[in-house]
């Protein structure tokens, strides 16, 4: 066991993919793979027993294709986040459709990364999720646009930009740099956003914004 390393559970129904992920993650300092499985139901059991810091979750699991046989990635995510509060789920998938992203976020996922993306993107998402933040792949997050759907909390254009960068895992300093603001101004925007959305942290804010339609994910 690596001291102070982030402990990761891999969930993917392809053995070769799991082997590749294990090799990739084990080669990155500060990350340790503690278990792997291709079964959604087993993933829930392992998460409860091993208490990983991060669960890398595929959306499509073959065991879920048979009625009553198992869970898909969304259901496994929902159960893990409910039963193991300390475990952050990062979805790792080939699918970037808006519906998949929204369902994953609503189930409690703190990240959504594509398998075709660069390894650095995966590492960033794992670390952001473990730290209580949220990371979405550029394909899922870069096209976030402010589009209030129904009467309710309305974010200003600047607040929408802040939440968009939150979704990409940016720190307050990085947001300030990207928007040419001071960190104090970013903190002020966050306080207003939290108040409008009734949230208490960064991950909850992104989830609420997507759920309420204040940020729409365009699959493009």
């Amino acid at each position: 066991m690596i001291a102070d390393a982030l402990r990761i559970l891999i969930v993917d129904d392809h053995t070769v993919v799991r082997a590749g992920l294990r090799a990739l993650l084990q080669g990155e300092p500060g990350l340790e793979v503690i278990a792997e499985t291709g079964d959604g139901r087993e993933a829930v059991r392992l998460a409860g027993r091993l208490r990983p810091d991060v669960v890398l979750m595929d959306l499509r699991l073959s065991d879920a294709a048979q009625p009553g046989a198992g869970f898909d990635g969304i259901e496994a995510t929902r159960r893990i986040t409910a039963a193991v509060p300390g475990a952050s789920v990062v979805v790792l998938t080939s699918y970037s459709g808006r519906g998949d992203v929204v369902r994953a976020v609503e189930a409690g996922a703190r990240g959504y990364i594509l398998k075709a993306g660069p390894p650095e993107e995966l590492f960033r998402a794992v670390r952001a999720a473990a730290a209580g933040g949220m990371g979405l792949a550029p394909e899922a997050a870069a096209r976030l646009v402010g589009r209030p759907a129904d009467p309710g909390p309305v974010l200003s254009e600047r607040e929408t930009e802040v939440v968009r960068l939150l979704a990409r895992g940016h720190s307050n300093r990085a947001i300030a740099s990207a928007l040419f603001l001071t960190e104090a101004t970013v903190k002020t925007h966050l306080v207003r956003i939290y108040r409008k959305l009734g949230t208490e942290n960064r991950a909850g804010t992104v989830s609420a914004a997507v759920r309420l339609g204040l940020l729409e994910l365009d699959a493009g």
Side-chain angles (χ1 to χ4, degrees):
M1 180 176 294
I2 305 172
D4 300 322
L6 293 179
R7 302 166 67 251
I8 301 170
L9 167 63
I10 297 173
V11 185
D12 194 292
D13 59 350
H14 290 91
T15 304
V16 173
V17 172
R18 294 202 306 272
L21 282 173
R22 177 183 283 272
L24 181 66
L25 293 165
Q26 293 285 99
E28 176 69 6
L31 304 182
E32 178 188 9
V33 176
I34 59 171
E36 62 180 68
T37 181
D39 180 281
R41 194 181 298 273
E42 177 66 12
V44 177
R45 287 196 292 266
L46 285 172
R49 179 166 62 86
L50 300 176
R51 304 280 164 168
D53 298 303
V54 176
V55 179
L56 280 182
M57 179 70 68
D58 191 13
L59 282 185
R60 310 291 198 266
L61 299 174
S62 59
D63 65 316
Q66 304 174 15
F71 309 142
D72 65 4
I74 295 295
E75 182 60 22
T77 295
R78 184 176 294 111
R79 293 184 181 234
I80 289 171
T81 55
V84 192
S88 298
V89 177
V90 173
V91 170
L92 181 62
T93 182
S94 301
Y95 303 91
S96 60
R98 179 183 185 277
D100 288 324
V101 179
V102 172
R103 288 194 307 129
V105 170
E106 290 181 341
R110 289 185 177 273
Y112 196 103
I113 302 299
L114 300 183
K115 291 179 179 179
E120 292 74 19
E121 194 172 279
L122 172 61
F123 301 151
R124 274 197 306 272
V126 166
R127 292 190 171 100
M134 190 161 188
L136 300 176
E139 292 85 348
R143 301 189 184 212
L144 284 168
V145 295
R147 190 181 300 177
D150 300 308
V154 178
L155 301 183
S156 69
E157 182 177 351
R158 179 62 80 191
E159 289 166 348
T160 297
E161 291 174 336
V162 170
V163 177
R164 180 185 296 118
L165 293 174
L166 284 183
R168 300 182 71 175
H170 283 43
S171 65
N172 286 0
R173 177 176 296 181
I175 293 172
S177 176
L179 300 180
F180 303 100
L181 303 172
T182 65
E183 287 190 57
T185 299
V186 171
K187 290 178 182 178
T188 298
H189 282 309
L190 287 174
V191 169
R192 291 173 180 167
I193 292 166
Y194 290 173
R195 185 170 63 246
K196 286 183 177 183
L197 301 185
T199 55
E200 298 179 351
N201 55 50
R202 303 164 85 88
T205 296
V206 174
S207 177
V210 172
R211 186 176 65 252
L212 293 170
L214 300 174
L215 295 176
E216 183 169 330
L217 293 166
D218 182 358

